[in-house]
Amino acid sequence: MAGKTKVTISDVARTAGVSNSAVSYALNGKPGVSEDTREKVLKVAEQMGWKPNMAAKALSDASTRTVGLVIEVDSEVLSVESYFMELIAGLGDALEDYDYSLLVRIVSDSQNAMRIHRNWIATGSVDAMLVMNVEVGDPRIDFYKEHSAMPVLAIADPSVTHGLPSMTSDDAEGARMIVNYLHELGHTHIARVAGPERYAHTFIRDRAFMEESASLGMTCDCLHSDYSPEQGRDMTNRLFAFSDSPTAIVYDNDVMAIAALHVAAERGLSVPDDISIMSWDDSFACTATTPGITALWRDIPRLGAKAVPMLMDLIEGNTVENAMESPYELVQRGSTGAPKIVGE
C-alpha cells in the first residue's frame, strides 16, 4: 500500500465485505443490491474518502459499441456443436456493418453466467445483451427486467421471456413436421433424444412431439441429454436395450445423430432399413455421413443477422416487437425410410 493515495472500488469492497460489482451498483445508484448493502457501502466509501474516477466514469457512460453474449455450455459440447458457430458467424457479419463487436464469454454453470451478467452491467462493458438457451423460470429474465435500462434480446419463445423482446423459432411446428413425416413413412413407434429438460425450447418440443404422436396413434419415447456425442451414444444404446425399441429416432442436434449412426453400425443394424435416424438441426456434417442424415434445416446465420438490427433498435431506445426466425424445412436424406415389416 506504500505510495498509494487513491481509494479504489476494490478497497471499498474488501472493507465492506462485499463484491466489486455490489460496490459498483451501490455507488452508481443502480439496482442489484439491497438497501442495507447500499447504505453500508456508501458509509464505508465515505469513511475511506473514496472519490469517483471521472475518466473511468466517462468511459463507462460512453458507448462501447459491443454486444455481449454469455454461452453456458460445456466446452466439449461447444467444440463440436455447429449451432453456436453458425449463430456467431451470422452475428459477427451483421455487427460489422454497424462497426460493433461481439463479446463472448463461455461458462459451464449458471452461477458463473450470472456473475458475468452482473459485472457487465455494473461496469458498462456492453451496450446490449443477447440471451439464449432460456430456461423455464430463468433468473436472467427477472434480472434484466430489474435492469430495464440495459437493452436485451432473448433468443427464446415469448412465453418464457416475460415481455423482453425475443427472436423465436416455431419449435412446435418443427416437431409436428417431423412426426408427420415419420408417420407418412409408416412408423408407429418413434423416439426423441432431446437436450436438457431445463431449457424452454426442449419443453416446447417435447410437448409437441407427444401431442402430435398421440393424435396420430403413435408411440413416442423421450430421453434427455446434454447434446454431446457421448450421450448421443448412451441414449441410443438405452433405446435399443428395450425389446420394443423404436423404428425411428430423432436427435436434437447433428453430433448425437452421427453418434447414433456409429451405434447402429456396431450393432449390425442397417440405416434406414432397421432404424431411421434424424437430426433436428441440419449442418454440413449431416451431408458428410453415409448415409446422409435427414434433418430440419433453418438458416441459423440469418437468425444472427436478423437479431442485430433488433439489438441496434433497442440500443437507440426504440420499441422492438418480437420476431420469428426463418421457418423450418425438412431435408430428406438417406438415413430415413419406411420401417421394416416384422417377419421380413
Side-chain angles (χ1 to χ4, degrees):
M1 295 291 290
K4 181 176 179 180
T5 59
K6 185 168 183 60
V7 177
T8 68
I9 281 180
S10 295
D11 297 331
V12 176
R14 279 194 297 271
T15 303
V18 297
S19 66
N20 285 12
S21 58
V23 172
S24 182
Y25 289 144
L27 295 177
N28 290 293
K30 295 181 179 180
V33 293
S34 67
E35 284 307 310
D36 287 345
T37 299
R38 190 184 308 279
E39 290 178 11
K40 178 180 179 181
V41 168
L42 292 174
K43 183 176 180 180
V44 169
E46 182 180 3
Q47 291 172 344
M48 296 182 69
W50 176 86
K51 300 293 182 185
N53 183 329
M54 299 312 295
K57 187 175 187 333
L59 286 173
S60 67
D61 289 342
S63 171
T64 64
R65 306 198 71 79
T66 302
V67 170
L69 172 62
V70 182
I71 301 176
E72 184 187 331
V73 65
D74 185 274
S75 59
E76 292 185 5
V77 173
L78 181 63
S79 68
V80 295
E81 171 61 77
S82 61
Y83 174 86
F84 294 107
M85 294 302 101
E86 291 182 28
L87 176 63
I88 289 172
L91 289 168
D93 281 348
L95 285 169
E96 187 65 24
D97 293 338
Y98 294 89
D99 193 26
Y100 259 72
S101 299
L102 180 65
L103 177 58
V104 179
R105 290 288 299 272
I106 300 167
V107 297
S108 58
D109 61 80
S110 57
Q111 185 174 353
N112 276 326
M114 283 304 303
R115 176 181 57 81
I116 294 168
H117 285 283
R118 293 190 185 97
N119 286 342
W120 280 357
I121 284 189
T123 58
S125 299
V126 297
D127 291 347
M129 282 293 303
L130 191 65
V131 176
M132 60 187 299
N133 281 345
V134 173
E135 302 177 12
V136 178
D138 198 310
R140 294 174 297 175
I141 300 301
D142 289 337
F143 176 73
Y144 280 110
K145 293 289 285 185
E146 294 173 3
H147 295 82
S148 56
M150 171 60 73
V152 180
L153 178 66
I155 299 180
D157 192 89
S159 64
V160 295
T161 60
H162 297 180
L164 290 180
S166 66
M167 169 81 75
T168 186
S169 57
D170 195 345
D171 285 332
E173 177 59 23
R176 288 190 287 267
M177 288 175 63
I178 291 173
V179 173
N180 278 276
Y181 166 70
L182 294 174
H183 180 261
E184 289 171 6
L185 287 176
H187 293 275
T188 59
H189 183 183
I190 65 175
R192 163 171 158 74
V193 177
E197 290 180 276
R198 66 182 184 275
Y199 292 150
H201 66 262
T202 302
F203 174 79
I204 291 169
R205 295 176 187 182
D206 286 352
R207 183 167 60 183
F209 262 94
M210 295 302 178
E211 289 178 351
E212 192 69 12
S213 297
S215 72
L216 295 171
M218 302 168 69
T219 299
C220 182
D221 303 321
C222 186
L223 297 176
H224 293 93
S225 71
D226 64 0
Y227 293 127
S228 70
E230 291 78 17
Q231 287 217 351
R233 291 180 62 88
D234 180 47
M235 298 303 169
T236 305
N237 279 314
R238 292 189 191 192
L239 289 168
F240 286 152
F242 291 100
S243 57
D244 180 23
S245 59
T247 57
I249 308 175
V250 184
Y251 298 82
D252 254 13
N253 69 0
D254 52 351
V255 296
M256 291 196 297
I258 292 169
L261 287 180
H262 292 291
V263 172
E266 290 165 2
R267 287 176 168 266
L269 300 175
S270 172
V271 178
D273 295 334
D274 296 315
I275 181 70
S276 285
I277 290 174
M278 283 189 67
S279 170
W280 183 281
D281 279 334
D282 196 11
S283 70
F284 170 76
C286 291
T287 69
T289 60
T290 303
I293 298 174
T294 298
L296 276 189
W297 179 88
R298 54 177 167 162
D299 195 338
I300 297 172
R302 188 182 174 197
L303 183 168
K306 192 173 180 180
V308 169
M310 297 173 70
L311 287 163
M312 295 301 113
D313 279 342
L314 288 168
I315 290 170
E316 292 296 321
N318 301 324
T319 299
V320 172
E321 300 295 329
N322 296 335
M324 185 70 71
E325 293 180 35
S326 303
Y328 285 108
E329 297 177 22
L330 197 149
V331 181
Q332 183 175 357
R333 299 191 179 97
S335 68
T336 50
K340 181 183 289 186
I341 298 174
V342 177
E344 278 190 348

